[in-house]
C-alpha cells in the first residue's frame, strides 16, 4: 500500500466510526479516483468542487420555492417578524463570512490543512456539516485581520 493514501484512509475510517455518510462517500470516491488512476480529475475537483457543491446545496434550499411551498407572500412575511429579520441578517452575515473564507483559503494555503482537520473532526464527532471550511476560513480571516496578521 502507498503511504500517501493513509490520510484519506484515516478520514474514511473516522467518518465511518462517526457515522457521517457524506464524508465517508467523499473520502471513498476520492480514494477510488486515486486508486483507479484518474489523477487528472483532482485539479478539476479542487478547482470546481466548491462551486458545484454550493450549486447543489442552493438547489436543495430553493426547491421549496420552486415547488410553490414558499410563496412571495411567505418571503415577504420574513421581513415582518423579529425572527425573520434576525434570520435574514444572519444569512447575509454568514454568506459574507463564507466569501471571506474562500479568499482567505486561496491566500493562505497553509491554513487549509488545519481548517480541513477541524472540519473533519467537527463533522465526524460533533454532528457537524462539511460546509464548515468556508465559514471557518472566513472566521479565521476576520480574526487574523482583527489582530493585524493578515491583510484583506
Amino acid at each position: 500500500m502507498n503511504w500517501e493514501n493513509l490520510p484519506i484512509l484515516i478520514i474514511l475510517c473516522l467518518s465511518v466510526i462517526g457515522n457521517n455518510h457524506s464524508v465517508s462517500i467523499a473520502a471513498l470516491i476520492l480514494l477510488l479516483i486515486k486508486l483507479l488512476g484518474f489523477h487528472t480529475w483532482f485539479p478539476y475537483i479542487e478547482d470546481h468542487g466548491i462551486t458545484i457543491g454550493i450549486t447543489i446545496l442552493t438547489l436543495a434550499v430553493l426547491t421549496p420555492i420552486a415547488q410553490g411551498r414558499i410563496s412571495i407572500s411567505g418571503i415577504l412575511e420574513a421581513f415582518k417578524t423579529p425572527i425573520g429579520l434576525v434570520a435574514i441578517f444572519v444569512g447575509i452575515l454568514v454568506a459574507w463570512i463564507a466569501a471571506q473564507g474562500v479568499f482567505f483559503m486561496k491566500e493562505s494555503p497553509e491554513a487549509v490543512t488545519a481548517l480541513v482537520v477541524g472540519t473533519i473532526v467537527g463533522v465526524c464527532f460533533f454532528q457537524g456539516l462539511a460546509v464548515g471550511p468556508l465559514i471557518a476560513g472566513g472566521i479565521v480571516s476576520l480574526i487574523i485581520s482583527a489582530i493585524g496578521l493578515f491583510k484583506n
Side-chain angles (χ1 to χ4, degrees):
M1 178 176 107
N2 190 340
W3 287 106
E4 68 183 27
N5 293 332
L6 189 58
I8 199 75
L9 283 171
I10 290 170
I11 291 167
L12 178 60
C13 291
L14 289 174
S15 63
V16 170
I17 292 167
N19 198 29
N20 190 293
H21 302 295
S22 298
V23 176
S24 298
I25 291 167
L28 183 60
I29 288 171
L30 290 171
L31 185 60
L32 286 173
I33 287 171
K34 188 170 187 177
L35 293 175
L36 294 173
F38 296 115
H39 298 102
T40 58
W41 292 12
F42 286 137
Y44 184 83
I45 294 168
E46 187 173 11
D47 290 344
H48 303 289
I50 290 175
T51 302
I52 293 167
I54 289 171
T55 301
I56 292 169
L57 182 60
T58 304
L59 279 168
V61 170
L62 294 177
T63 297
I65 295 171
Q67 291 176 322
R69 291 194 331 237
I70 298 176
S71 64
I72 292 291
S73 62
I75 294 170
L76 294 175
E77 285 296 315
F79 290 91
K80 296 179 181 178
T81 67
I83 292 173
L85 290 172
V86 170
I88 290 168
F89 172 75
V90 170
I92 293 167
L93 181 64
V94 169
W96 180 78
I97 290 172
Q100 302 307 302
V102 172
F103 173 78
F104 176 73
M105 290 169 76
K106 287 180 182 174
E107 296 297 317
S108 303
E110 70 278 4
V112 172
T113 302
L115 290 169
V116 169
V117 168
T119 299
I120 290 167
V121 170
V123 167
C124 291
F125 299 107
F126 297 100
Q127 311 309 308
L129 296 174
V131 295
L134 294 179
I135 297 168
I139 292 170
V140 170
S141 173
L142 293 174
I143 292 169
I144 296 301
S145 293
I147 59 175
L149 296 175
F150 182 74
K151 301 296 178 207
N152 243 350

